[in-house]
Structure formats: structure tokens, C-alpha cells
Amino acid sequence: MAQAYRTEPGNGGSEPEPSESRFRRRLAELRGDPGIWRRGLVLAAVSVLLSLVMIFHAELPNDVGNLGSLTETFLPWLGLAVPLLVAGAVLRRSATALIAVLLPAVVWLNLFGGLVFDKSGTGGDLVVATHNVDADNPDPRGTAASVARSGADVLALTELKGGVVPVYEKALAATYKYHSVEGTVGLWSKYPLSGSAPVDIRMGWTRAMRATVATPQGDVAAFVAHLPSVRVKLNAGFTANQRDDSADALGAALAAEPLKKVILLGDLNGTMNDRALSEVTSQMRSTQGAAGDGFGFSWPAQFPMARIDQIMVRGIRPEASWTLPRTGSDHLPVAARLTVNKQQS
């Protein structure tokens, strides 16, 4: 016998299936799909490979095109592959790929998760800043005024063009009573400077200097450096040999410094992850890594992708580190607040 089924008036059909029921039905379908573990093996392999690159980045060879240093320069950006892999795993309906992508996610968080959050404190008795002002800066006067407003007690400038140095000297004179320029680098200070001298970083001309800053908390050795530029070329890879030699020379100068409290400011054309800078980074502490707000990328200014402008300390405690507003340069200025009157263990 035929039976008639009635629907509720105004529904135009049966009631919609509850979302919880739809989820359970979909889960049951996935559980019953034998291909859920077989699909996405390529995505899973890519996830494992990405994890290995991040874990063993220091083992990547530099013999061919400085591949290791190039990878380490942009190492944090490898994390962008994680959401892409997740999306691919979902589209492929692959449990294998989805589980595998957890590996690079965990590795990235272990390496860089601490940089995502603001670690800055409220203490400090000395503010320092450094800026690659760009030799072709169209507005040196405005750039000087901008960095002077940072409140820095000690300011390092690199890539100073000889004919433009007087512009910076005049623009900064009202804020900084003391200054010294050696070659293309300079140091401006609210406190007396002494012992200013070039530092030989094997370039043939002066792009590094050292001076003693007489802060109210005691003498501090301040180094300013602008290491050679690096290039990425199709036929040569990451050309950084001259920079690497200069980094070794700078590291030797830092190691020979007799004062216990040391600050290094400048454009190192490399990141803290780059093993080629280990002669420097192994004996100095990054203010951004210790007390920074985010990654602190400083170059290129229009879309910062790497922190190659550095503030590092020894025997001094970092309290905060940040980037400053953009100027007429292709780099962002960076600043840090430090505690000088306590030894950094």
C-alpha cells in the first residue's frame, strides 16, 4: 500500500540535517575512504624535506654558490610553506600529508616561535640606534632628523658618502655633542667619545671603526661596521666571500677588545642565522633575539625580508629592541634599549 509522507508547512521539504550530523557523516565517509592514507605522499615527502632543511640548515654546503648562507638568510620565510602544505593536504583529503605537515610546523615554532612575540622589557639606561643611510639617499637632512627623534643616546650611521657627511654633522649637532667619522661609518653620541680609530676588516678602505663611549654607567666599547654587500647571481649563487672574510676580521677585533662592555652596531649584510658570521655572532648577543618585538626585519625598507642591520652586545643586558620609521634609505633604522650598569651573565 502506498503511503503519503507529510512535511511541515512552509519548509518546502524535510528539515535540514543538523551540522553535527553532517560532520559525523563526513567523518564516517573519510574513515571509510581507503585512499585517505595513500593520497598526498608527495606532499608528505615535501613536508619531511622542509623539516630536514630547517633542522640541518647548518649542514647545507657553502661550497656551491654559498647555498647554506643563502638558505640561512631567509630561513624564517620557509614557514610560509606550512599553510600551503596544509591547504594541499585538505584539498587532497590526505591524512598522511596532514599529519606530516605537523613536523615542519613544530620545527619552525621551535626555531622562531620566540621571535613572534614581544619580549621587550621596561628597564634600561642607554638607548642606541644604527642606520644604513644609503649613499644615494635623496633626503639626508630628513633622514638625520628622523633618527635623531628616536631618542638614541648613541647613534651609528653607515654608508656615509664623503660629500654628504657635513649635512649629517650639521643636522645632528643639536642632539649629539660628540661624534666621530671614520671612512664611510660614523658614531654620534650624547656622551664623550675617545680612542676613535678605524678597524681593519680587509676591504682596502675604511668601513668599520671603534670608539670608547663614556656613559654615566661606565666606559663602553662601541664598534660600527658595514660589511661588504652580498649578491645573488644565477651563474655564481650567493656571492659572499668578501663579506665572510670581513666578518672574520671583525670577529678578531671584537675578541681582542679589552673592555668588558661592548656594543656592535651596523649593517652586517647577514642575519644571525648565517653561519658565515659565526666569528661575530658566537661572541655577541643580538638585542632583537633577546628582547625584540617580532622579527625586526630591516631590509629592504619597502618590504623588509631580513634583518641584516644588527645591534649586538657583550657584557650588557638587552631590554628592548625595535625598528624605527622608514627614511629616505633602502634600510630601516633599528634601535635598542640596554642596561649597562649590570654585567650580562
Side-chain angles (χ1 to χ4, degrees):
M1 176 185 295
Q3 295 182 347
Y5 292 89
R6 298 175 59 190
T7 61
E8 292 294 327
N11 282 352
S14 60
E15 292 184 359
E17 184 181 9
S19 57
E20 184 179 356
S21 299
R22 288 200 303 271
F23 174 77
R24 289 178 178 176
R25 179 168 56 81
R26 185 60 177 161
L27 187 60
E29 290 176 358
L30 291 174
R31 285 175 177 173
D33 181 2
I36 195 171
W37 298 104
R38 294 197 295 266
R39 289 191 298 267
L41 295 182
V42 173
L43 289 172
V46 171
S47 296
V48 173
L49 179 61
L50 178 64
S51 303
L52 292 175
V53 169
M54 289 192 287
I55 294 172
F56 299 107
H57 62 86
E59 306 304 322
L60 292 175
N62 256 350
D63 298 335
V64 180
N66 286 303
L67 177 63
S69 288
L70 177 60
T71 302
E72 289 166 336
T73 298
F74 300 102
L75 195 61
W77 291 94
L78 294 183
L80 290 179
V82 172
L84 295 177
L85 290 169
V86 170
V90 172
L91 289 174
R92 289 285 293 150
R93 296 191 303 167
S94 168
T96 301
L98 202 56
I99 293 173
V101 80
L102 291 175
L103 183 58
V106 170
V107 172
W108 189 92
L109 286 173
N110 182 61
L111 289 173
F112 304 109
L115 293 175
V116 175
F117 305 100
D118 185 356
K119 301 183 294 299
S120 58
T122 57
D125 46 41
L126 183 72
V127 177
V128 300
T130 183
H131 189 25
N132 179 326
V133 296
D134 186 0
D136 298 319
N137 191 322
D139 184 21
R141 187 175 289 103
T143 295
S146 178
V147 292
R149 288 192 296 269
S150 68
D153 302 304
V154 177
L155 171 66
L157 300 182
T158 64
E159 206 167 297
L160 290 167
K161 200 172 183 178
V164 187
V165 169
V167 177
Y168 288 101
E169 291 176 326
K170 183 177 180 181
L172 294 170
T175 305
Y176 301 98
K177 185 177 180 180
Y178 309 94
H179 84 279
S180 177
V181 175
E182 302 284 352
T184 62
V185 299
L187 192 66
W188 275 258
S189 174
K190 295 179 180 179
Y191 307 121
L193 298 175
S194 62
S196 178
V199 173
D200 182 10
I201 55 172
R202 305 173 191 165
M203 290 193 64
W205 70 96
T206 301
R207 287 198 0 173
M209 64 174 288
R210 180 252 181 231
T212 299
V213 184
T215 76
Q217 293 76 33
D219 287 351
V220 173
F223 285 78
V224 184
H226 183 194
L227 298 187
S229 299
V230 295
R231 298 286 186 271
V232 180
K233 300 179 180 179
L234 291 177
N235 62 340
F238 193 58
T239 58
N241 292 337
Q242 188 178 21
R243 187 226 34 201
D244 299 349
D245 290 341
S246 291
D248 291 344
L250 178 60
L254 289 167
E257 173 56 48
L259 289 180
K260 295 186 180 299
K261 299 175 182 179
V262 184
I263 303 173
L264 171 62
L265 307 131
D267 174 6
L268 302 190
N269 272 306
T271 68
M272 293 296 294
N273 294 315
D274 191 339
R275 94 285 296 273
L277 301 184
S278 62
E279 292 298 320
V280 174
T281 57
S282 63
Q283 56 181 310
M284 304 292 289
R285 188 181 187 191
S286 165
T287 60
Q288 189 67 27
D293 180 4
F295 286 92
F297 294 148
S298 63
W299 178 88
Q302 61 271 27
F303 187 80
M305 296 184 66
R307 184 180 177 88
I308 62 175
D309 300 276
Q310 306 289 355
I311 300 175
M312 301 185 199
V313 296
R314 187 171 73 212
I316 293 172
R317 188 173 69 204
E319 302 288 359
S321 188
W322 63 95
T323 57
L324 295 169
R326 184 178 177 184
T327 69
S329 171
D330 58 343
H331 292 243
L332 293 179
V334 298
R337 189 172 67 253
L338 314 170
T339 294
V340 177
N341 63 0
K342 293 181 181 179
Q343 288 292 326
Q344 173 65 42
S345 59

